[in-house]
Amino acid sequence: MTDEQLALAAQKGDSAATRTLLEKYKNAVRGTARSFFLEGGDTEDLVQEGMIGLYLAVTDYKEGGMSFKNFAYLCIRRRIMSAVRSASRKKHSPLNEGVPLPDGEGKDIPATGDPESFLIAGEEAEEFWGKVRRALSASEYETLVLYMEGLSVSDIAARRGVPVKSADNAVQRAKKKIAKILSAR
């Protein structure tokens, strides 16, 4: 059977045809994946994305257009490029590279220990929150406090009467500024 016939058979539920095409083109996926770099990932992550692209080529192939081989290469390449673009966008970097914030003013003081440790911890927390107040705008500080209280970004936006995007931007700016303060410690 030709690749085109195998793809059409796979679309009709022939799992053997699907396996045959996936096996036949897996080296093409590996070769394509090696020519790209995924920040924060490795080649196997790109191979996995390429295999998804190949599977989509099998399920989406339409007779009468380009050859299955060309369609498969196109789907593989697009899926891998999409993964690389997505990873380089840094959209989720605040989540992936986030720095945990203290629980709140005065809450990071230890409940047990000697009085000197208790006093020093309290002074350090006070100093930290003073730096935070100076580094953040009033809007960022208010947004941060609401965020630390557990409100979602949409709830913060509603409470403050601002668009959700503005509230999200304020949270992200506050996190970045606090990360700088923490890294300077």
Side-chain angles (χ1 to χ4, degrees), residues 4 61-74:
E4 289 78 10
Y61 177 74
K62 302 281 187 267
E63 197 172 21
M66 64 174 70
S67 69
F68 177 78
K69 180 179 181 178
N70 289 340
F71 185 67
Y73 280 113
L74 181 67

Side-chain angles (χ1 to χ4, degrees), residues 1-16:
M1 291 178 87
T2 65
D3 291 348
E4 289 78 10
Q5 291 169 330
L6 286 169
L8 295 174
Q11 291 172 8
K12 292 179 183 170
D14 185 348
S15 59

Side-chain angles (χ1 to χ4, degrees), residues 108 117-130 185:
D108 53 351
S117 297
F118 184 79
L119 184 62
I120 290 172
E123 289 172 355
E124 286 176 353
E126 221 175 282
E127 180 184 341
F128 171 78
W129 284 105
R185 281 179 126 178

Side-chain angles (χ1 to χ4, degrees), residues 2-150:
T2 65
D3 291 348
E4 289 78 10
Q5 291 169 330
L6 286 169
L8 295 174
Q11 291 172 8
K12 292 179 183 170
D14 185 348
S15 59
T18 303
R19 279 193 305 276
T20 301
L21 286 172
L22 292 176
E23 185 65 31
K24 182 176 182 178
Y25 286 92
K26 76 177 180 185
N27 289 333
V29 170
R30 288 193 176 284
T32 304
R34 279 191 208 110
S35 63
F36 289 92
F37 173 74
L38 181 64
E39 185 177 346
D42 61 9
T43 304
E44 283 306 309
D45 294 330
L46 291 177
V47 168
Q48 205 169 30
E49 288 295 327
M51 289 302 288
I52 292 169
L54 175 57
Y55 181 77
L56 292 173
V58 171
T59 60
D60 295 347
Y61 177 74
K62 302 281 187 267
E63 197 172 21
M66 64 174 70
S67 69
F68 177 78
K69 180 179 181 178
N70 289 340
F71 185 67
Y73 280 113
L74 181 67
C75 290
I76 293 165
R77 188 167 180 80
R78 282 186 178 166
R79 184 70 187 214
I80 290 172
M81 288 173 64
S82 176
V84 170
R85 259 194 312 275
S86 179
S88 66
R89 229 183 294 146
K90 305 236 186 257
K91 179 179 177 181
H92 299 289
S93 64
L95 294 173
N96 297 333
E97 301 167 5
V99 176
L101 297 174
D103 289 339
E105 291 187 69
K107 291 183 182 176
D108 53 351
I109 299 171
T112 60
D114 62 281
E116 184 180 21
S117 297
F118 184 79
L119 184 62
I120 290 172
E123 289 172 355
E124 286 176 353
E126 221 175 282
E127 180 184 341
F128 171 78
W129 284 105
K131 287 180 182 178
V132 168
R133 278 197 199 99
R134 288 188 297 276
L136 302 180
S137 68
S139 171
E140 290 167 344
Y141 185 77
E142 181 182 346
T143 302
L144 176 69
V145 169
L146 293 172
Y147 185 75
M148 289 176 61
E149 288 175 1

